[in-house]
Amino acid sequence: ITRMKQETPEIKWMFVTWDDASLSMQDAHKGQFFQVTVFGEGEVPLSIPFGPGQRDELVFDFKNVGSVTAALYDMQPGDRVGLRGPYGRAFPYEVLRGRHLVFVGSGVAMAPLRTMIEPVIQHREDFGRVEIMASALRYEKLIYKEEMKAWSQVPGVTVHYALKDPTQQVEAYSGYVNDLLPGLNLDWEKTTALVCASPSRIKKVAKDLMSLGMKPSDILVTLETHMRCGAGKCGHCKVGSHYMCVDGPVFTYEEMMALPPEY
């Protein structure tokens, strides 16, 4: 660990470099998450919130919600963690070229979206309009505050904020992010939405997107709960016939609708 940063009252960033520098040369970012090990405590799946060009220093966002993340929360620069992976089906960058993109993230759920946002920002000429929609209860609970300000300065990229409580830090809508979708005035048949939130919130956002004319196959979602081993062996994340860690965590909404009621 090279440094730790308090991003919100509950969320920290952990910056790490490889003990073996040759590992940084591997094309290791095509998955969607790593299993991060706290030696003697256990491991936890954490999303890859960085683009494929970031190799020398990697960053992970995590919330203090369990025994392993609690141990991570107390770690200091110089401490060592293990990385196993990457695992999971990632967002399909190549097939999205030429399309308008709408990113919808809630709280720490912006982390898996960033792995797609970063390369899109770096190759803006490959895509249409880019709309980034971040929601949280309060402004201080948002992650990537400075990054979103930088993204908003890129031509063709707009950042929207939906907060329950008003703020003076940014211009924000006081309400649900869904309410902002009709005002985007996009060509919805040429748009792909990437949504990361709780399953119930995903369903509400997807329903509103489809009412605007989007096909469920053009709505990409991440279903990251229940994962343990990351390799489809323990069965903990099995939902119906699918393993979230192997068959996902990125699914189309069409695929999500075919899953059992827990999703």
Side-chain angles (χ1 to χ4, degrees):
I1 298 175
T2 56
R3 53 194 172 114
M4 301 287 278
K5 176 185 175 184
Q6 193 82 43
E7 177 68 1
T8 77
E10 302 91 8
I11 298 169
K12 277 188 175 182
W13 286 10
M14 177 177 67
F15 297 80
V16 300
T17 57
W18 302 99
D19 270 345
D20 181 353
S22 67
L23 292 173
S24 67
M25 300 305 294
Q26 296 181 10
D27 189 11
H29 304 167
K30 290 186 177 179
Q32 191 65 7
F33 67 94
F34 274 102
Q35 292 283 1
V36 178
T37 300
V38 177
F39 300 109
E41 186 65 45
E43 61 181 7
V44 62
L46 295 181
S47 298
I48 302 174
F50 43 80
Q54 188 171 356
R55 298 180 182 278
D56 294 334
E57 185 179 57
L58 310 181
V59 57
F60 293 94
D61 308 295
F62 66 94
K63 192 173 184 178
N64 187 358
V65 292
S67 59
V68 180
T69 50
L72 276 178
Y73 214 76
D74 292 334
M75 296 184 82
Q76 302 295 324
D79 291 340
R80 282 177 166 79
V81 295
L83 294 185
R84 180 164 65 84
Y87 295 112
R89 180 168 61 166
F91 289 113
Y93 178 90
E94 294 298 330
V95 303
L96 300 184
R97 289 177 182 270
R99 296 182 65 80
H100 305 304
L101 301 178
V102 177
F103 295 91
V104 181
S106 176
V108 74
M110 284 297 295
L113 296 180
R114 185 183 173 187
T115 191
M116 185 68 187
I117 293 173
E118 290 285 359
V120 167
I121 294 292
Q122 293 168 12
H123 302 281
R124 272 293 299 121
E125 68 280 1
D126 291 343
F127 302 90
R129 284 171 51 191
V130 176
E131 309 287 340
I132 301 172
M133 316 190 77
S135 66
L137 293 176
R138 299 186 301 276
Y139 179 75
E140 58 266 27
K141 287 184 173 290
L142 289 172
I143 60 174
Y144 310 140
K145 299 179 188 67
E146 295 306 314
E147 285 75 7
M148 284 193 284
K149 290 177 182 177
W151 296 336
S152 69
Q153 300 302 309
V154 178
V157 178
T158 306
V159 177
H160 309 264
Y161 300 90
L163 306 173
K164 182 177 182 296
D165 297 332
T167 181
Q168 294 182 346
Q169 283 91 340
V170 293
E171 183 178 346
Y173 173 73
S174 183
Y176 290 116
V177 69
N178 310 46
D179 301 336
L180 299 175
L181 296 172
L184 298 181
N185 296 317
L186 288 165
D187 183 344
W188 294 104
E189 292 185 357
K190 298 179 180 178
T191 299
T192 296
L194 300 87
V195 185
C196 190
S198 66
S200 61
R201 175 53 53 188
I202 287 174
K203 291 178 181 178
K204 292 175 181 177
V205 171
K207 180 180 178 180
D208 288 344
L209 287 169
M210 289 188 292
S211 72
L212 293 169
M214 287 197 70
K215 296 183 295 185
S217 58
D218 288 332
I219 302 172
L220 303 178
V221 304
T222 58
L223 305 176
E224 301 191 358
T225 55
H226 310 310
M227 291 190 293
R228 285 277 180 87
C229 74
K233 300 298 183 184
C234 71
H236 194 261
C237 71
K238 191 171 187 288
V239 179
S241 61
H242 292 287
Y243 293 87
M244 299 297 101
C245 65
V246 175
D247 301 315
V250 173
F251 294 88
T252 67
Y253 188 65
E254 186 175 44
E255 293 171 323
M256 180 179 174
M257 289 191 297
L259 295 174
E262 54 259 49
Y263 274 112

